[in-house]
Amino acid sequence: MSLKTILKKLYFLSKKKEVIPILQPISENKILGGKTALIVGGTGGIGSAIAKECIRSGARCIITGTNKAKLEGMDLFSDAEFKDSAVPIVVNLNDTASFKEIFLNESAIHKWGGG
């Protein structure tokens, strides 16, 4: 087989459009069932989307942010699909003393048990 023939085959193979799914979205299964996810900076678009996907995958989410009004105003907490699986907690990551609020939050303990 000549080099020219090999290159032609490689060229045509590279142009072939074939879709091969590599990843399975986590929302199609419950791989996070029984787990609790801590979403830091959850009031932004990316944090909110991550929280929703975690909940769809079976996880409970503690969503933190520094702005209480923005945190409590998220559509996540008014949507029936998500509100029972999410708890908002105001935490400033620049203040290490506020970290204990994540673990001692009465809303999360009351909703999911523990202590």
Side-chain angles (χ1 to χ4, degrees), residues 70-81:
K70 191 173 179 182
L71 189 63
E72 291 176 348
M74 291 175 62
D75 65 338
L76 188 77
F77 300 111
S78 59
D79 190 323
E81 180 183 3

Side-chain angles (χ1 to χ4, degrees), residues 74-95:
M74 291 175 62
D75 65 338
L76 188 77
F77 300 111
S78 59
D79 190 323
E81 180 183 3
F82 304 112
K83 69 178 181 179
D84 292 333
S85 298
V87 171
I89 301 176
V90 178
V91 175
N92 182 352
L93 294 179
N94 293 321
D95 177 18

Side-chain angles (χ1 to χ4, degrees), residues 5-17:
T5 307
I6 293 171
L7 291 174
K8 276 185 179 181
K9 284 186 178 188
L10 287 174
Y11 174 78
F12 287 115
L13 284 174
S14 69
K15 295 296 182 183
K16 186 177 178 183
K17 296 190 180 194

Side-chain angles (χ1 to χ4, degrees), residues 42-78:
T43 57
I46 294 173
S48 179
I50 290 170
K52 288 176 182 179
E53 285 302 310
C54 286
I55 292 169
R56 286 184 184 123
S57 296
R60 302 174 297 196
C61 288
I62 297 173
I63 302 170
T64 68
T66 56
N67 185 325
K68 183 177 181 176
K70 191 173 179 182
L71 189 63
E72 291 176 348
M74 291 175 62
D75 65 338
L76 188 77
F77 300 111
S78 59

